[in-house]
Amino acid sequence: MTEKTAYNERLEQKLTTIFAGGHSKYHEKMKEQNKLFVRDRLALLFDDGVYLEDGRFANSEAGDLPADGVVTATGKVGGQQVCVMANDSTVKAGSWGSRTVEKIIRIQEIAEKTRVPMLYLVDSAGARITDQLDMFPNRRGAGRIFHNQVRMSGFVPQVCLLFGPSAAGGAYIPAFCDIVIMVEGNASMYLGSPRMAEKVIGEKVTLEEMGGARMHCTVSGCGDVLVTSEQEAIAEVQRYLAYFPANFTEMPKVVELKAVKEGRSLEAIIPENQNAPFDMYEAIDQLIDEGSLFDIKKLFATEIITGLARIEGQAVGIIANQPKSKGGVLFGDSADKAAKFINLCDAFGIPLLFLADVPGFMIGTKVERAGIIRHGAKLIMAMSSATVPKISVIVRKAYGAGLYAMAGPAFEPDVCIALPTAQIAVMGPEAAVNAVLANKIESIEDPKERLKFVQEKHQEYKEQIDLYKLASEMIIDEIVAPSDLREVLAMRFSAYSTKHIPQPPRKHPVYPV
Amino acid sequence: MKQLLSTMAGTVFTIGVSEGDEVTAGQTVLVLESMKMEIPIEAETAGKVATINARIGDFVNEGDVLLTFE
């Protein structure tokens, strides 16, 4: 309890003004948009609503700029200490002045020194143009925020919760975070506003179409998790952080195991016909602790699933082809999505599980012109250079470079397991027979004879790539019945948990970005 | 008017609805064949099929309109 003195009263008054944020009309506006006041966001985020704040009096003498429009704080989330910067959009629309920027830089420095996760709660119109010389181009100007983010990338987890706009240069805060959680309807990211787009390039477009949360989570891939409210966003970041250690030197926490979700067996879920679709999510449910999947980029490049999950309490990162979407074929976007996810898991010691059911990379003019080879190279490099425990499970087909992308035997997975439904080959039987024998097939005039010939060749080809032949040649390490897979994975991940691979002496690879 | 677009380049393999049919969100209305795979195309929202713009065996590119809804 603070003792009553004149100077304490003055302090009390100052604090009351600061805690109130901007003008009441802006608080009203936030309510209309289903947005929470910055201090209410922080109260929800931190355990018991408790946190320490720095730079509270920043610009307090200016009168209308309490805390200079940003709250920077440290406190616990799910028992883990984290640092946070949170824009206050009731103060000059959350825009950045020189002290705003300095506060953000300082809290980043604290996160780096104390080696704890850094969260960015963004709701900001961007630079305060009137203050630009003080906050934009200098050594400790806004650019330093991004420089710090890059420096801290892979050192501590960095997450962005996007509650409002993240405009122009400010849009790079989410871009350098590990993941971005966006509130539909309110969150947006763009370099130039629709008004600017109309003035400068003559395009007429709405904010939602050009930079809205749904667009970024489904089309551009700049957003990772789409939520419908701020409360949901905060619950999601709490759930996400539980998979991560405080920094790269520590290991992810292990929690109490849960049984799998009740459902059909993997034997019933996975069709033997290689070409028939099925829902990989249903299969994943039979491998992981119930309710443990944290899906990243669920709505983007849906032909590949990337998510954090737990197997018998241990955190794992799952990369799985989704045959139900685009046949599970890999595209440029799917490669980008998986590459970033692998980098994320590898940075923080989260082991990787690849579930392969992949006909290969997409072919055709459209994807070649879009550079599918260089996009695919990003995925293969990320997978190949990951040094965390890496298990490759061939669920059904793994054709061509698809086998490589999904951590096939050449890429040093700790084990390459095949289910009895697996089929590993340069290409599928239909494509292979056609590729090798097209002229011969066409020269057979009698349709019945032709069909008979083709079927015989299919059979021969299938025998050549028979799974037991591959196992006998030690190409794959293990064949496991689908219903035993979860247990095998739990044992193997535990066995590989001390894995260490010395790196070749060099600065870094030349990334194929 | 809502349109259902092809998610990837391929050939129309089967069409599971007729013009005038009511479909539910998530219902497979058409199957493409591409990369030797069957690719189910699902309706994003419920609606009544107005036109079917592709025939079995047609080559369609990513983004081509397969169906329109009323």
Side-chain angles (χ1 to χ4, degrees), chain A residues 314-340:
Chain A
Q314 297 177 86
V316 294
I318 297 176
I319 301 99
N321 307 114
Q322 169 60 296
K324 204 180 135 202
S325 176
K326 298 186 178 182
V329 175
L330 293 167
F331 288 72
D333 279 348
S334 15
D336 268 354
K337 171 177 169 178
K340 179 156 184 200

Side-chain angles (χ1 to χ4, degrees), chain A residues 429-441:
Chain A
E430 298 88 349
V433 168
N434 209 35
V436 179
L437 297 166
N439 291 341
K440 170 82 180 158
I441 292 168

Side-chain angles (χ1 to χ4, degrees), chain A residues 251-513:
Chain A
M251 292 299 287
K253 303 153 195 99
V254 177
V255 303
E256 205 169 310
L257 75 90
K258 274 192 200 156
V260 298
K261 185 177 168 185
E262 236 174 80
R264 295 194 295 163
S265 69
L266 286 180
E267 281 81 351
I269 295 166
I270 303 165
E272 277 186 64
N273 170 9
Q274 298 286 347
N275 302 351
F278 75 96
D279 186 0
M280 186 61 90
Y281 279 112
E282 198 187 351
I284 290 172
D285 274 343
Q286 293 309 303
L287 295 174
I288 64 169
D289 298 9
E290 182 169 6
S292 71
L293 184 68
F294 189 97
D295 213 339
I296 294 179
K297 287 193 171 51
K298 183 182 181 179
L299 304 173
F300 176 74
T302 52
E303 60 280 7
I304 197 156
I305 297 167
T306 55
L308 302 159
R310 294 190 182 277
I311 296 179
E312 297 196 354
Q314 297 177 86
V316 294
I318 297 176
I319 301 99
N321 307 114
Q322 169 60 296
K324 204 180 135 202
S325 176
K326 298 186 178 182
V329 175
L330 293 167
F331 288 72
D333 279 348
S334 15
D336 268 354
K337 171 177 169 178
K340 179 156 184 200
F341 180 73
I342 292 167
N343 285 336
L344 170 68
C345 293
D346 188 49
F348 296 109
I350 299 174
L352 296 169
L353 171 61
F354 292 84
L355 299 172
D357 184 2
V358 57
F361 280 90
M362 186 61 186
I363 60 165
T365 317
K366 192 168 179 187
V367 292
E368 297 291 1
R369 288 176 67 99
I372 191 159
I373 298 168
R374 70 185 171 85
H375 293 299
K378 294 183 222 173
L379 167 55
I380 295 174
M381 181 180 261
M383 174 277 304
S384 183
S385 51
T387 56
V388 286
K390 209 156 70 176
I391 295 181
S392 166
V393 176
I394 313 298
V395 176
R396 286 198 303 178
K397 64 204 160 305
Y399 296 156
L403 173 71
Y404 294 168
M406 296 301 284
F411 295 87
E412 291 191 82
D414 296 290
V415 64
C416 182
I417 298 173
L419 298 187
T421 40
Q423 193 171 84
I424 296 172
V426 168
M427 55 181 99
E430 298 88 349
V433 168
N434 209 35
V436 179
L437 297 166
N439 291 341
K440 170 82 180 158
I441 292 168
E442 263 173 45
S443 72
I444 303 173
E445 278 175 18
D446 180 28
K448 271 190 188 164
E449 282 295 314
R450 193 189 304 153
L451 185 67
K452 192 173 156 238
F453 176 79
V454 169
Q455 281 171 343
E456 273 171 18
K457 292 293 161 192
H458 281 180
Q459 198 48 42
E460 273 174 36
Y461 185 81
K462 280 183 186 165
E463 281 161 22
Q464 279 172 35
I465 58 167
D466 181 69
L467 191 59
Y468 290 92
K469 199 167 168 183
L470 267 77
S472 171
E473 294 296 333
M474 293 167 65
I475 294 165
I476 51 169
D477 302 300
E478 168 89 297
I479 303 175
V480 172
S483 41
D484 295 334
L485 184 60
R486 172 176 155 95
E487 202 187 333
V488 168
L489 291 175
M491 286 173 69
R492 286 191 179 269
F493 275 127
S494 168
Y496 305 139
S497 61
T498 52
K499 179 176 177 184
H500 175 72
I501 302 178
Q503 291 302 297
R506 64 173 168 188
K507 200 167 164 199
H508 56 68
V510 180
Y511 306 107
V513 290

Side-chain angles (χ1 to χ4, degrees), chain A residues 198-212:
Chain A
E198 192 176 346
K199 284 231 149 82
V200 178
I201 60 172
E203 185 189 19
K204 280 193 180 141
V205 67
T206 66
L207 180 61
E208 269 309 299
E209 276 176 277
M210 188 178 71

Side-chain angles (χ1 to χ4, degrees), chain A residues 42-339:
Chain A
L42 294 176
L44 261 183
L45 171 70
F46 287 112
D47 297 353
D48 306 319
V50 177
Y51 57 92
L52 292 167
E53 191 180 341
D54 292 324
R56 198 177 252 172
F57 296 90
N59 232 353
S60 61
E61 295 303 296
D64 61 343
L65 295 166
D68 212 24
V70 70
V71 180
T72 53
T74 173
K76 288 193 170 170
V77 174
Q80 168 64 57
Q81 197 74 31
V82 302
C83 287
V84 177
M85 79 105 226
N87 300 125
D88 180 356
S89 61
T90 68
V91 177
K92 285 249 164 104
S95 62
W96 296 358
S98 69
R99 293 165 193 84
T100 322
V101 170
E102 179 61 26
K103 280 177 74 172
I104 299 172
I105 292 171
R106 287 190 192 180
I107 194 72
Q108 287 180 307
E109 289 167 348
I110 293 173
E112 187 178 340
K113 279 187 241 172
T114 54
R115 311 203 294 177
V116 300
M118 178 71 216
L119 310 185
Y120 303 84
L121 276 56
V122 175
D123 185 1
S124 164
R128 238 175 257 158
I129 308 281
T130 48
D131 297 11
Q132 63 165 312
L133 260 194
D134 297 321
M135 57 68 63
F136 166 63
N138 28 351
R139 289 190 179 196
R140 284 178 78 85
R144 178 59 69 90
I145 297 172
F146 314 128
H147 180 62
N148 283 347
Q149 277 191 287
V150 172
R151 204 182 133 74
M152 288 156 70
S153 177
F155 180 73
V156 292
Q158 296 188 92
V159 182
C160 176
L161 278 76
L162 202 51
F163 291 137
S166 174
Y172 285 98
I173 282 194
F176 290 120
C177 278
D178 304 343
I179 69 156
V180 184
I181 299 171
M182 299 180 101
V183 181
E184 186 162 19
N186 286 340
S188 60
M189 270 172 88
Y190 49 86
L191 294 184
S193 66
R195 198 168 49 185
M196 192 187 273
E198 192 176 346
K199 284 231 149 82
V200 178
I201 60 172
E203 185 189 19
K204 280 193 180 141
V205 67
T206 66
L207 180 61
E208 269 309 299
E209 276 176 277
M210 188 178 71
R214 180 162 286 276
M215 188 289 283
H216 280 304
C217 290
T218 55
V219 180
S220 79
C222 290
D224 294 281
V225 180
L226 187 66
V227 295
T228 54
S229 69
E230 297 195 1
Q231 287 83 350
E232 193 187 346
I234 289 169
E236 284 296 90
V237 76
Q238 289 165 336
R239 207 160 77 80
Y240 172 83
L241 286 173
Y243 291 92
F244 286 84
N247 59 63
F248 85 104
T249 64
E250 294 176 16
M251 292 299 287
K253 303 153 195 99
V254 177
V255 303
E256 205 169 310
L257 75 90
K258 274 192 200 156
V260 298
K261 185 177 168 185
E262 236 174 80
R264 295 194 295 163
S265 69
L266 286 180
E267 281 81 351
I269 295 166
I270 303 165
E272 277 186 64
N273 170 9
Q274 298 286 347
N275 302 351
F278 75 96
D279 186 0
M280 186 61 90
Y281 279 112
E282 198 187 351
I284 290 172
D285 274 343
Q286 293 309 303
L287 295 174
I288 64 169
D289 298 9
E290 182 169 6
S292 71
L293 184 68
F294 189 97
D295 213 339
I296 294 179
K297 287 193 171 51
K298 183 182 181 179
L299 304 173
F300 176 74
T302 52
E303 60 280 7
I304 197 156
I305 297 167
T306 55
L308 302 159
R310 294 190 182 277
I311 296 179
E312 297 196 354
Q314 297 177 86
V316 294
I318 297 176
I319 301 99
N321 307 114
Q322 169 60 296
K324 204 180 135 202
S325 176
K326 298 186 178 182
V329 175
L330 293 167
F331 288 72
D333 279 348
S334 15
D336 268 354
K337 171 177 169 178

